[in-house]
Amino acid sequence: MKKLENIEKMQQFSFQARKKSHIIGLVPTMGALHQGHLSLIQAARQECHEVVVSIFVNPTQFGENEDYERYPRDWNQDCSLAAAAGATAVFLPSASDIYPPSYQTTLHLDSLTQHLCGAHRPGHFDAVATVVCKLLNIVAPHRAYFGQKDVQQLRVIQQMTADLNMNVGIVPMPTLRESDGLAMSSRNAYLSPSERLAAGIIYQALLTTEQAAQAGETSPLILQQLLLSHLVSEPLVHVEYAAVADPVTLTPLEQQQSSMLLAVAVRIGDTRLIDNLLINLPSCAGFTK
Amino acid sequence: MKKLENIEKMQQFSFQARKKSHIIGLVPTMGALHQGHLSLIQAARQECHEVVVSIFVNPTQFGENEDYERYPRDWNQDCSLAAAAGATAVFLPSASDIYPPSYQTTLHLDSLTQHLCGAHRPGHFDAVATVVCKLLNIVAPHRAYFGQKDVQQLRVIQQMTADLNMNVGIVPMPTLRESDGLAMSSRNAYLSPSERLAAGIIYQALLTTEQAAQAGETSPLILQQLLLSHLVSEPLVHVEYAAVADPVTLTPLEQQQSSMLLAVAVRIGDTRLIDNLLINLPSCAGFTK
């Protein structure tokens, strides 16, 4: 596996791969690789000649009081894990390589960035869209793999690449979960044992709410209240939002749809966790789209 | 010459050209082609296998009281002129193809958009950067050609493509001028005969100011006043700005540099005209960069 530590080396790698008509897959990460990331790398390995894992803790997407400084960093372990999962190259740019002193361009998405996490993390998704746009241009992959756990990030990237006519396939990958259902996340490592135990409530709340919808509850408002009440039954959990939203636009739903996204963000201690579940109703009286 | 009337056909054209290892040049225009555009097409013809001329009057870059509606449109004549100058394809997308209903992504450049024309046309250069980013992704050219008459546009495109790591060469091309020095522009067609006569003052003012700098005038402020006083000596001319700026950052200069940009925007009747001249001093006591 190649370690490419600046943009120029990454570009040369991709240029050579493309010259050989090799299919390039990109798995963009901030390091701290867990099984979720590795499942993306393994999937890319099945579909691509070259699998590039980018590791870049992007400073611009962290808010002032967020965890940029303490975000877990262990590049050596990440490289070993990436190689074992099938990566053929790791791209490890520096912040000054990505954002040189004269840097001044930001992408902005009008609507998708306003809901869910976007409402609580101003500028976050614009910064994500910007850095992913740059990574896609640098790595020039045919496909890029994103986990569905970060569903708003996924939608922002899908919309951005479509809006800007970028020639890349965005591949959504299912969320991997611990045995109690907690979605895998690099931030789970922040949790104390009691917090970790409490975090199991998130997926339970999503499942319970989905079951209510499948059992015939048609009101998004009642589903949202059910989701919320389940979450707050765990005292360590502080809910940032609990939403029933359109899976494409991410806007809150007022009427039932055949496809509805349950999405939550909570704080447990100092740790912010997100999760979501897509409800697909087989048939639906209130079907509106 | 191929006429490609939607994004998909354009992409297929470029895909085929790239498969043959053909070099693709792009000349982005809003139509109303004049000799300036044709010189870009001819230059591209010298350097590229395929020369694509895009014709798209981009609605998002016009302000509310600007000339989007009356901007000259004659696609048939433009296609004839482009073909005669050496274009191998014309890309003529519709506005709904470029901006479908769900469209929501805009690029923003922090600093370059604040000066010169940017101060008078809020949002204009962000919209230009956005549509050019899209055109570059759709056409996938190796090189794209831009006239130096629109110097701020050129700088914004250079900065945007560098910031977003776009794999394309931006080729600046010299301003073409009428016999009295007026910079060629599609908007010159708006001028009445007396306005057209008055417009000759713009280049005269730039030249006179450059001569003063070459003759030893070291103060940017005095050069700016000279430029302004020359322009206002013509009663039909209303000056929007007359600036002495850094050619890279476009910020106003307080001290002499070896390279200084004279830039002006004026209104003559209902017509807004811009022009600029780059001063390169062979040696310079106040050389600061």
Side-chain angles (χ1 to χ4, degrees), chain A:
Chain A
M1 186 188 71
K2 291 254 169 69
K3 288 191 197 182
L4 308 164
E5 294 184 340
N6 63 49
I7 290 173
E8 201 183 332
K9 284 181 184 164
M10 182 68 245
Q11 288 169 325
Q12 284 167 358
F13 177 93
S14 290
F15 180 76
Q16 293 301 330
R18 287 221 166 221
K19 227 165 79 171
K20 291 181 276 187
S21 298
H22 278 187
I23 302 295
I24 304 170
L26 170 64
V27 180
T29 81
M30 300 206 301
L33 301 187
H34 53 66
Q35 278 297 329
H37 298 113
L38 302 183
S39 73
L40 272 55
I41 298 171
Q42 287 153 359
R45 178 75 281 192
Q46 299 298 311
E47 302 178 345
C48 308
H49 301 92
E50 303 288 356
V51 178
V52 178
V53 176
S54 63
I55 299 180
F56 181 60
V57 185
N58 178 31
T60 62
Q61 73 189 61
F62 287 81
E64 267 191 27
N65 300 314
E66 293 184 1
D67 56 344
Y68 176 64
E69 293 300 336
R70 73 160 176 156
Y71 199 85
R73 291 165 171 87
D74 186 344
W75 296 176
N76 287 334
Q77 177 172 304
D78 288 336
C79 286
S80 304
L81 289 169
T88 60
V90 172
F91 176 39
L92 292 149
S94 67
S96 62
D97 204 18
I98 295 292
Y99 303 114
S102 65
Y103 189 87
Q104 58 178 282
T105 302
T106 314
L107 273 58
H108 171 65
L109 282 84
D110 274 341
S111 165
L112 273 176
T113 57
Q114 303 304 307
H115 310 293
L116 307 180
C117 293
H120 300 266
R121 304 184 75 185
H124 169 72
F125 286 109
D126 287 344
V128 168
T130 302
V131 78
V132 172
C133 178
K134 285 171 62 69
L135 290 171
L136 292 172
N137 285 333
I138 294 166
V139 178
H142 298 78
R143 298 152 178 261
Y145 297 76
F146 293 86
Q148 282 171 318
K149 201 260 291 177
D150 299 290
V151 65
Q152 190 167 14
Q153 171 177 281
L154 171 64
R155 279 296 301 125
V156 164
I157 301 306
Q158 288 174 325
Q159 185 74 41
M160 178 272 287
T161 53
D163 280 354
L164 297 184
N165 309 96
M166 297 184 79
N167 189 16
V168 62
I170 302 301
V171 186
M173 294 291 295
T175 303
L176 289 206
R177 300 183 178 281
E178 305 291 351
S179 57
D180 66 343
L182 177 64
M184 289 189 187
S185 164
S186 305
R187 291 185 168 103
N188 292 351
Y190 298 151
L191 298 169
S192 73
S194 62
E195 290 171 344
R196 173 64 192 81
L197 203 63
I201 194 81
I202 302 171
Y203 189 54
Q204 292 308 315
L206 290 168
L207 277 185
T208 303
T209 309
E210 189 200 14
Q211 283 156 10
Q214 297 289 1
E217 177 51 61
T218 60
S219 160
L221 187 62
I222 290 176
L223 291 171
Q224 186 199 7
Q225 286 167 346
L226 183 62
L227 181 58
L228 188 62
S229 64
H230 206 103
L231 288 168
V232 298
S233 71
E234 166 52 61
L236 288 181
V237 165
H238 300 272
V239 179
E240 193 174 87
Y241 65 80
V244 182
D246 182 281
V248 175
T249 65
L250 306 185
T251 49
L253 290 180
E254 295 178 1
Q255 288 195 306
Q256 188 187 40
Q257 295 182 175
S258 63
S259 185
M260 299 188 287
L261 181 73
L262 306 178
V264 303
V266 304
R267 290 183 184 279
I268 303 182
D270 290 336
T271 304
R272 187 176 180 279
L273 299 174
I274 59 173
D275 202 352
N276 69 85
L277 196 65
L278 186 64
I279 302 178
N280 283 309
L281 299 178
S283 72
C284 166
F287 180 69
T288 56
K289 60 184 292 184

Side-chain angles (χ1 to χ4, degrees), chain B residues 107-148:
Chain B
L107 273 58
H108 171 65
L109 282 84
D110 273 342
S111 165
L112 273 177
T113 57
Q114 303 304 306
H115 310 292
L116 306 180
C117 293
H120 300 267
R121 303 184 75 185
H124 170 72
F125 287 108
D126 287 344
V128 168
T130 303
V131 78
V132 172
C133 178
K134 285 170 63 67
L135 290 171
L136 292 172
N137 284 333
I138 295 165
V139 179
H142 298 78
R143 298 151 179 261
Y145 297 77
F146 292 86
Q148 282 172 318

Side-chain angles (χ1 to χ4, degrees), chain B residues 11-278:
Chain B
Q11 288 170 324
Q12 283 168 357
F13 177 93
S14 289
F15 180 76
Q16 293 302 331
R18 288 220 166 221
K19 227 164 78 172
K20 292 181 275 188
S21 298
H22 278 188
I23 302 295
I24 304 170
L26 170 64
V27 180
T29 80
M30 299 206 301
L33 301 187
H34 53 66
Q35 278 298 327
H37 298 113
L38 302 182
S39 73
L40 271 56
I41 298 170
Q42 287 153 359
R45 178 75 281 192
Q46 299 298 311
E47 302 177 345
C48 308
H49 301 93
E50 302 289 355
V51 178
V52 177
V53 176
S54 64
I55 299 180
F56 181 60
V57 185
N58 178 31
T60 63
Q61 74 189 60
F62 287 81
E64 268 192 26
N65 299 314
E66 292 184 2
D67 55 345
Y68 176 65
E69 294 299 337
R70 74 160 175 156
Y71 199 85
R73 291 165 172 88
D74 185 344
W75 297 174
N76 286 336
Q77 178 172 305
D78 287 337
C79 287
S80 304
L81 289 169
T88 60
V90 171
F91 177 39
L92 291 149
S94 67
S96 61
D97 205 17
I98 295 292
Y99 303 114
S102 65
Y103 189 88
Q104 58 178 280
T105 303
T106 313
L107 273 58
H108 171 65
L109 282 84
D110 273 342
S111 165
L112 273 177
T113 57
Q114 303 304 306
H115 310 292
L116 306 180
C117 293
H120 300 267
R121 303 184 75 185
H124 170 72
F125 287 108
D126 287 344
V128 168
T130 303
V131 78
V132 172
C133 178
K134 285 170 63 67
L135 290 171
L136 292 172
N137 284 333
I138 295 165
V139 179
H142 298 78
R143 298 151 179 261
Y145 297 77
F146 292 86
Q148 282 172 318
K149 201 261 290 178
D150 299 290
V151 66
Q152 190 167 13
Q153 170 177 281
L154 171 64
R155 280 295 302 125
V156 163
I157 301 305
Q158 288 174 325
Q159 186 73 41
M160 178 272 287
T161 54
D163 280 354
L164 297 184
N165 309 97
M166 297 184 79
N167 189 15
V168 61
I170 302 301
V171 186
M173 294 290 296
T175 302
L176 289 205
R177 300 184 178 281
E178 306 289 352
S179 56
D180 66 343
L182 177 65
M184 290 189 188
S185 164
S186 304
R187 291 186 169 102
N188 292 351
Y190 297 152
L191 298 169
S192 72
S194 63
E195 290 172 343
R196 172 64 191 80
L197 203 62
I201 194 83
I202 302 170
Y203 189 54
Q204 292 308 315
L206 290 168
L207 277 185
T208 303
T209 309
E210 188 201 15
Q211 283 156 11
Q214 297 289 3
E217 177 51 60
T218 60
S219 160
L221 187 62
I222 290 175
L223 291 171
Q224 186 199 7
Q225 286 168 343
L226 183 62
L227 182 57
L228 188 61
S229 65
H230 206 102
L231 288 168
V232 298
S233 72
E234 167 53 60
L236 287 182
V237 165
H238 301 272
V239 179
E240 193 174 87
Y241 67 79
V244 182
D246 182 280
V248 174
T249 65
L250 307 184
T251 49
L253 290 179
E254 293 178 3
Q255 288 195 304
Q256 189 187 40
Q257 294 182 175
S258 63
S259 185
M260 299 188 286
L261 182 72
L262 305 179
V264 303
V266 305
R267 290 183 184 278
I268 303 182
D270 290 335
T271 305
R272 186 177 180 280
L273 299 174
I274 59 174
D275 202 352
N276 69 85
L277 196 64
L278 186 65

